[in-house]
């Protein structure tokens, strides 16, 4: 996991993720039984467990009737199209496609809010014995005003 602050003062974190998607086909006004045909990233899917090759690596899937499960590897992005065709008992076909686009790195940013710091910092005056242990620290003898008008001693 990587944490950083952007030039516009946003607190961000990014980390690799492994994604799992569940897709289910529910054709409306279809006469049962319904026959489904699934296509992922240009490849027709077979019932059961299988894999699909993509430009970002191999996607694992499990297809059971109208329900499709997709899994990626850690940090693997997905950028392709998923299509499903449903043919009902009367021979009518319903067909739809949707883009499946998810990055393999999850990035989340939170804007900094004035008056609500992410980190609270309080500096206390150290005992003279402690100051001798760290000669690089200077003892602050006067209060210093900060932007939020709190005093550091």
């Amino acid at each position: 996991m990587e944490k950083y602050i952007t030039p516009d003062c946003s607190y961000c974190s990014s980390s690799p993720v492994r994604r799992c998607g569940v897709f289910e086909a529910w054709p409306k006004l279809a006469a049962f039984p319904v026959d489904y045909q699934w296509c992922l990233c240009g490849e027709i899917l077979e019932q059961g467990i299988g894999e699909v090759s993509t430009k970002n690596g191999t996607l694992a899937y499990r297809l059971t009737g109208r329900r499709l499960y997709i899994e990626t590897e850690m940090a693997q992005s997905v950028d392709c199209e998923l299509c499903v065709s449903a043919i009902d008992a009367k021979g009518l076909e319903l067909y739809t496609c949707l883009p499946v686009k998810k990055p393999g790195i999850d990035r989340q940013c939170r804007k900094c809010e004035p008056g609500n710091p992410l980190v609270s910092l309080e500096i206390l005056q150290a005992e003279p014995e402690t100051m001798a242990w760290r000669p690089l620290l200077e003892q602050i003898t006067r209060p210093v005003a900060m932007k939020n008008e709190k005093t550091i001693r």
Side-chain angles (χ1 to χ4, degrees):
M1 177 181 269
E2 179 184 357
K3 295 182 180 183
Y4 55 94
I5 296 181
T6 62
D8 68 343
C9 191
S10 292
Y11 174 75
C12 300
S13 64
S14 66
S15 59
V17 291
R18 182 175 182 190
R19 300 209 184 254
C20 176
V22 180
F23 303 90
E24 196 163 26
W26 283 93
K28 293 183 180 180
L29 303 173
F32 287 91
V34 178
D35 184 31
Y36 299 96
Q37 182 71 53
W38 293 82
C39 181
L40 178 63
C41 302
E43 289 189 35
I44 295 174
L45 305 181
E46 299 293 327
Q47 289 288 324
I49 297 172
E51 293 182 340
V52 173
S53 297
T54 71
K55 63 182 178 181
N56 297 322
T58 303
L59 289 174
Y61 75 86
R62 183 178 56 180
L63 179 59
T64 309
R66 68 175 182 222
R67 186 172 291 149
L68 173 67
Y69 300 89
I70 301 172
E71 288 186 17
T72 68
E73 294 296 324
M74 186 65 80
Q76 179 184 4
S77 297
V78 178
D79 186 8
C80 63
E81 191 172 54
L82 172 64
C83 298
V84 62
S85 171
I87 301 172
D88 71 2
K90 294 181 180 179
L92 298 174
E93 181 180 20
L94 297 171
Y95 185 85
T96 190
C97 292
L98 62 107
V100 179
K101 185 172 184 174
K102 289 290 183 181
I105 304 293
D106 182 46
R107 289 183 177 83
Q108 296 183 7
C109 292
R110 212 172 60 199
K111 291 280 186 190
C112 295
E113 297 176 19
N116 189 12
L118 297 174
V119 177
S120 176
L121 178 64
E122 185 178 341
I123 299 176
L124 303 174
Q125 188 168 357
E127 297 295 324
E129 298 85 28
T130 308
M131 293 299 292
W133 297 343
R134 297 180 185 98
L136 296 176
L137 295 176
E138 294 181 21
Q139 185 175 5
I140 299 174
T141 56
R142 60 180 177 78
V144 177
M146 301 299 280
K147 287 183 182 178
N148 60 5
E149 298 183 13
K150 290 184 181 176
T151 304
I152 298 176
R153 296 178 190 228

